[in-house]
Amino acid sequence: DVKVTQSSRYLVKRTGEKVFLECVQDMDHENMFWYRQDPGLGLRLIYFSYDVKMKEKGDIPEGYSVSREKKERFSLILESASTNQTSMYLCASRTSGKNIQYFGAGTRLSVL
Amino acid sequence: QKEVEQDPGPLSVPEGAIVSLNCTYSNSAFQYFMWYRQYSRKGPELLMYTYSSGNKEDGRFTAQVDKSSKYISLFIRDSQPSDSATYLCAMSYNTDKLIFGTGTRLQVFP
C-alpha cells in the first residue's frame, strides 16, 4: 500500500524560527512535491524534486527552501517563519512519468 | 482568470441523492483529469483518473470529461454520509505539474 508520511500533524512555531517539515515515502518514487493549502486558494505548489539532490521552484517558493539528500525523504524548510506561512502543508510523491500523486496526511502549521 | 474553476460549495444533500460536482478549465491542452477526495484534517486521496475525453465508472462514482466544453464532472450515486468531504479536481497536460481546483465541500446528511 502507498505510504507518504509527514513527521508532524500539528506544529506551533514563533515568528523568526527556523522550521523543518519532513516527508518520507516508501514507494521508491522519484518525484516528490510540497504544497500549501489555504481556504479559497486550493493547493499551491511550493517546490518539487525530480530526483535525489534535484529541486525545482513551484509557484510560490518565496520564503521556503527544500532538501532531498535521499530518495525517500523530502524536507521543506522555512528559514525564518512568518505569520503568513500559517497553513496546511501537504507532501506528495509519484513515479516519474506518471500523473497520479499520492499525498501525506498534512502538517497544520501555526506561526504566532 | 484561474486555469481551473471549481465552486467551493458547501453542497448539502440528503442521503441517497445523486451528487454532481463540476470543474471548468481554460487550457485546452489538458489531457489528464483526476478527482481527489479529502476528508477533514487529512490529505487528498485519489478517487478517479481519466485520460482525454469520455466517461469512467467505479462503483457509485462516475467521472466525465467534455473537452469540447472544457468541463469535467464527478457524479456520486446513492450518496452516503461517509461521502461528506471536500472534492478536488486536478488536471495536467503532460506528466509535469498538476493544476488543482480549490475544492467543493460536500455534506451528505442522514
Side-chain angles (χ1 to χ4, degrees), chain A residues 92-103:
Chain A
S93 72
R94 71 172 187 196
T95 298
S96 183
K98 301 288 186 184
N99 295 95
I100 298 172
Q101 295 183 20
Y102 298 91
F103 285 86

Side-chain angles (χ1 to χ4, degrees), chain B residues 43-108:
Chain B
E45 57 177 335
L46 182 70
L47 201 55
M48 299 289 279
Y49 175 84
T50 52
Y51 170 70
S52 195
S53 280
N55 292 359
K56 185 174 182 178
E57 191 172 317
D58 184 1
R60 295 184 295 112
F61 299 89
T62 300
Q64 206 170 71
V65 175
D66 182 348
K67 290 189 75 179
S68 61
S69 303
K70 300 195 189 73
Y71 191 87
I72 69 170
S73 300
L74 177 71
F75 298 98
I76 308 174
R77 289 184 299 282
D78 188 24
S79 56
Q80 303 294 310
S82 59
D83 295 326
S84 298
T86 296
Y87 291 80
L88 303 160
C89 63
M91 48 197 81
S92 71
Y93 46 84
N94 55 21
T95 55
D96 197 0
K97 295 186 291 183
L98 283 181
I99 310 299
F100 286 88
T102 52
T104 299
R105 190 155 63 94
L106 172 67
Q107 295 172 325
V108 182

Side-chain angles (χ1 to χ4, degrees), chain A residues 32-36 44-49 54-67 74-77 90 92:
Chain A
M32 296 187 74
F33 304 80
W34 274 107
Y35 295 89
R36 64 177 284 177
R44 292 181 291 167
L45 182 63
I46 304 171
Y47 266 97
F48 59 105
S49 169
M54 296 175 70
K55 59 184 178 185
E56 297 282 341
K57 292 180 180 179
D59 301 316
I60 52 162
E62 296 78 20
Y64 303 94
S65 62
V66 290
S67 172
F74 192 33
S75 303
L76 180 70
I77 303 152
L90 291 162

Side-chain angles (χ1 to χ4, degrees), chain A residues 1-70:
Chain A
D1 214 10
V2 164
K3 196 83 183 286
V4 179
T5 303
Q6 294 185 231
S7 54
S8 305
R9 294 299 308 277
Y10 302 95
L11 272 179
V12 180
K13 296 292 181 180
R14 297 269 179 210
T15 303
E17 277 193 77
K18 190 168 186 176
V19 182
F20 293 87
L21 302 182
E22 305 286 344
C23 176
V24 176
Q25 49 93 6
D26 64 359
M27 297 160 287
D28 202 34
H29 284 169
E30 293 84 9
N31 305 162
M32 296 187 74
F33 304 80
W34 274 107
Y35 295 89
R36 64 177 284 177
Q37 185 177 31
D38 301 287
L41 297 177
L43 273 75
R44 292 181 291 167
L45 182 63
I46 304 171
Y47 266 97
F48 59 105
S49 169
Y50 283 119
D51 211 332
V52 178
K53 297 193 185 297
M54 296 175 70
K55 59 184 178 185
E56 297 282 341
K57 292 180 180 179
D59 301 316
I60 52 162
E62 296 78 20
Y64 303 94
S65 62
V66 290
S67 172
R68 186 128 181 244
E69 295 297 316
K70 293 186 177 182

